[in-house]
Amino acid sequence: MPRTKEQYEEMRNATRDKIRSAAMQLFVHQGYGSTSVQDIADTAGISIGLLYRHYRTKDQLLNELVGYAVEGLKRNIRSFESDQSPKQLIARFIDEVYTDLSNGEELANLLILINQALFASAGTDSQLHEEILQVNARLLDATAQLIRKGQQLGEFRLGDAKEMAVYFYASIQGLAEMKILLKSNFQMPSPSVMTAFLFKVGE
Amino acid sequence: MPRTKEQYEEMRNATRDKIRSAAMQLFVHQGYGSTSVQDIADTAGISIGLLYRHYRTKDQLLNELVGYAVEGLKRNIRSFESDQSPKQLIARFIDEVYTDLSNGEELANLLILINQALFASAGTDSQLHEEILQVNARLLDATAQLIRKGQQLGEFRLGDAKEMAVYFYASIQGLAEMKILLKSNFQMPSPSVMTAFLFKVGE
DNA sequence: TTTTATAATGAGTAAAAACTCACTCAAAAA
DNA sequence: TTTTTGAGTGAGTTTTTACTCATTATAAAA
């Protein structure tokens, strides 16, 4: 008799992992359109045929990867809707971003992937494109809300909260890209630099 | 007798312009790899054959466009090496970025194009890839130098100047991308938000 | 050793994309 | 009206890429 269900599932999971990380790496580092399926299979160390047993199209593969990234964003929205002090929430978030961007490429990859997916699906009105934009809008709103609360508490600098939220995420996105593009020449700004435009006091 | 040299040159310039702006638009909005030469010709309103009379390869077209963008960066470096007050130089620069990003897509296109070119040429060690990275490094250094001077003059907040310069450009890059992706939903942060992390005083 | 269920392969196919070239078109002046 | 010259065309060719399928490899248990 052949292998058990569990053994087969384990095998399948292992190759799916290989495919996902190869695709992530390539999509992020050279762009979706410039990455061929052959590329992905080679990087994953498997055959094209096997890749297609797991993902019906190149597009579906991108969609799955982006799906995970979008989940991450949603978790963030939830955490920002907490009742804790805005300053603490933002400070904790920035600390996480700082350590993630300092140590590994995972967060940078997620952020860039979402970006790539948005550009790649620009003309088409795919479900995914719309969903990303929508989640993004909600994230910006939740953050602006948090900033407003912080301003009322006197912890945050004054200024248009929505604009500050836009600037907040724009800078994180920019940092992610710089990290990947500049490689070892990238020097991650410390949390105090990143929050200086938000928090009062400082020095 | 046929048209004069000047008339022919005028015709050629006109089509080159059409090609350039079509290519810029498409490379920026859907990515280099996801843009076909046929796409570009169609958008420019000319035939593929004519496009290839002007640019030998799709790659060469990208290179020319990026070349202009890099020139723009170089002009910036020079302006930052001026003897004027750091605060004034930065403030003027941010004002320019603000009006450019508020009104048109030109600056955003340039910034995103450079980014795209870096990603597209990631694996290969093309001359262009190297040049962009080098110009970028010089720009960061010049800016860090300016920030240091501003700190000595007591106009700028304290903190690692290089990190602050990285954050400065990361945020601008991020804003450019947000502008293009969010379209009419994008709200450009005012100069005061953008400089709050740099300048002392302020609210 | 043989059976069996499913993972894995990669040459093969069809579609799309990059690039070519033999030809037409346009307008100025003879 | 004809000639001239370089812009402009797009069907055709070559190369690359996404995707398929007939076949092989594997390892557990009978």
Side-chain angles (χ1 to χ4, degrees):
Chain A
M1 280 288 126
R3 279 163 266 210
T4 66
K5 286 275 179 201
E6 290 74 28
Q7 283 174 314
Y8 279 130
E9 197 180 327
E10 181 50 41
M11 289 169 77
R12 291 177 53 75
N13 284 340
T15 68
R16 281 182 93 91
D17 274 354
K18 281 193 272 181
I19 295 171
R20 275 193 292 258
S21 64
M24 177 70 89
Q25 187 72 10
L26 293 170
F27 287 164
V28 166
H29 283 80
Q30 43 181 290
Y32 176 75
S34 305
T35 301
S36 73
V37 176
Q38 184 71 63
D39 261 355
I40 301 172
D42 288 350
T43 304
I46 62 169
S47 65
I48 330 173
L50 185 55
L51 192 152
Y52 275 97
R53 279 176 72 66
H54 288 269
Y55 296 94
R56 289 221 318 288
T57 65
K58 183 183 166 188
D59 205 67
Q60 198 203 6
L61 176 50
L62 175 68
N63 279 23
E64 184 176 311
L65 292 178
V66 172
Y68 294 132
V70 170
E71 280 312 308
L73 289 190
K74 285 182 180 166
R75 268 197 299 282
N76 255 315
I77 297 175
R78 260 173 262 135
S79 82
F80 276 8
E81 287 165 349
S82 139
D83 260 346
Q84 289 181 270
S85 137
K87 188 165 182 177
Q88 267 186 24
L89 281 173
I90 292 274
R92 191 170 305 148
F93 179 71
I94 286 281
D95 274 349
E96 249 178 69
V97 169
Y98 176 74
T99 54
D100 284 3
L101 284 184
S102 294
N103 298 328
E105 296 200 345
E106 210 173 302
L107 175 60
N109 283 350
L110 285 187
L111 292 173
I112 293 172
L113 186 78
I114 292 182
N115 211 255
Q116 292 272 3
L118 272 177
F119 277 114
S121 65
T124 71
D125 44 21
S126 67
Q127 325 79 354
L128 198 70
H129 187 83
E130 287 310 314
E131 199 198 344
I132 298 175
L133 286 182
Q134 205 187 307
V135 171
N136 204 281
R138 279 205 286 139
L139 186 56
L140 280 175
D141 284 344
T143 309
Q145 204 53 47
L146 197 67
I147 292 175
R148 253 174 238 118
K149 197 171 150 197
Q151 288 172 330
Q152 281 159 13
L153 293 174
E155 299 171 342
F156 284 26
R157 286 166 168 257
L158 296 182
D160 184 294
K162 188 69 184 289
E163 289 181 8
M164 290 165 90
V166 167
Y167 190 71
F168 183 70
Y169 287 109
S171 66
I172 292 174
Q173 180 70 36
L175 287 172
E177 284 166 23
M178 272 187 141
K179 181 193 170 66
I180 297 298
L181 290 173
L182 302 188
K183 301 217 170 88
S184 59
N185 295 314
F186 175 74
Q187 183 170 7
M188 180 67 193
S190 67
S192 64
V193 171
M194 298 179 72
T195 52
F197 81 100
L198 271 180
F199 297 162
K200 269 192 176 168
V201 179
E203 180 67 23
Chain B
M1 281 286 124
R3 278 163 266 212
T4 66
K5 286 273 181 203
E6 289 74 27
Q7 282 173 313
Y8 279 129
E9 197 180 329
E10 182 49 41
M11 289 168 77
R12 291 178 53 74
N13 283 341
T15 68
R16 282 181 93 91
D17 273 355
K18 281 193 271 181
I19 295 171
R20 275 193 292 258
S21 65
M24 176 70 88
Q25 187 72 10
L26 292 170
F27 287 165
V28 165
H29 283 81
Q30 43 181 288
Y32 176 76
S34 305
T35 300
S36 74
V37 176
Q38 184 72 63
D39 261 355
I40 301 172
D42 288 348
T43 304
I46 61 168
S47 65
I48 332 173
L50 185 55
L51 192 152
Y52 275 97
R53 279 174 72 66
H54 287 270
Y55 296 95
R56 288 219 320 288
T57 65
K58 183 182 165 188
D59 205 69
Q60 197 203 4
L61 176 51
L62 175 68
N63 278 23
E64 183 177 310
L65 292 178
V66 172
Y68 294 132
V70 170
E71 281 312 308
L73 289 190
K74 285 182 180 167
R75 268 197 300 281
N76 256 316
I77 297 175
R78 260 173 260 134
S79 82
F80 277 8
E81 285 165 352
S82 138
D83 258 348
Q84 290 181 269
S85 137
K87 189 165 180 178
Q88 267 185 22
L89 281 173
I90 293 273
R92 192 169 305 148
F93 179 71
I94 287 280
D95 274 350
E96 249 178 68
V97 170
Y98 176 74
T99 54
D100 284 4
L101 285 183
S102 294
N103 298 326
E105 295 202 344
E106 210 174 301
L107 175 61
N109 283 351
L110 285 187
L111 292 173
I112 292 173
L113 186 79
I114 292 181
N115 212 256
Q116 292 271 2
L118 272 176
F119 277 114
S121 65
T124 71
D125 44 21
S126 67
Q127 326 77 354
L128 199 70
H129 186 84
E130 288 309 314
E131 200 198 343
I132 298 177
L133 286 181
Q134 204 187 308
V135 171
N136 204 281
R138 279 204 287 139
L139 185 56
L140 280 176
D141 284 345
T143 308
Q145 202 53 46
L146 197 66
I147 292 174
R148 254 174 238 116
K149 198 170 150 199
Q151 289 173 329
Q152 281 159 14
L153 293 175
E155 299 171 340
F156 283 27
R157 285 166 168 256
L158 295 182
D160 185 294
K162 187 69 183 289
E163 288 182 8
M164 290 165 90
V166 167
Y167 189 72
F168 183 70
Y169 287 109
S171 66
I172 293 174
Q173 180 71 34
L175 288 172
E177 284 167 21
M178 272 188 141
K179 180 192 172 66
I180 297 298
L181 290 173
L182 302 190
K183 301 218 170 88
S184 59
N185 295 314
F186 175 71
Q187 183 169 9
M188 180 66 193
S190 66
S192 64
V193 170
M194 298 179 72
T195 52
F197 82 99
L198 271 180
F199 296 163
K200 268 192 178 169
V201 180
E203 189 63 22

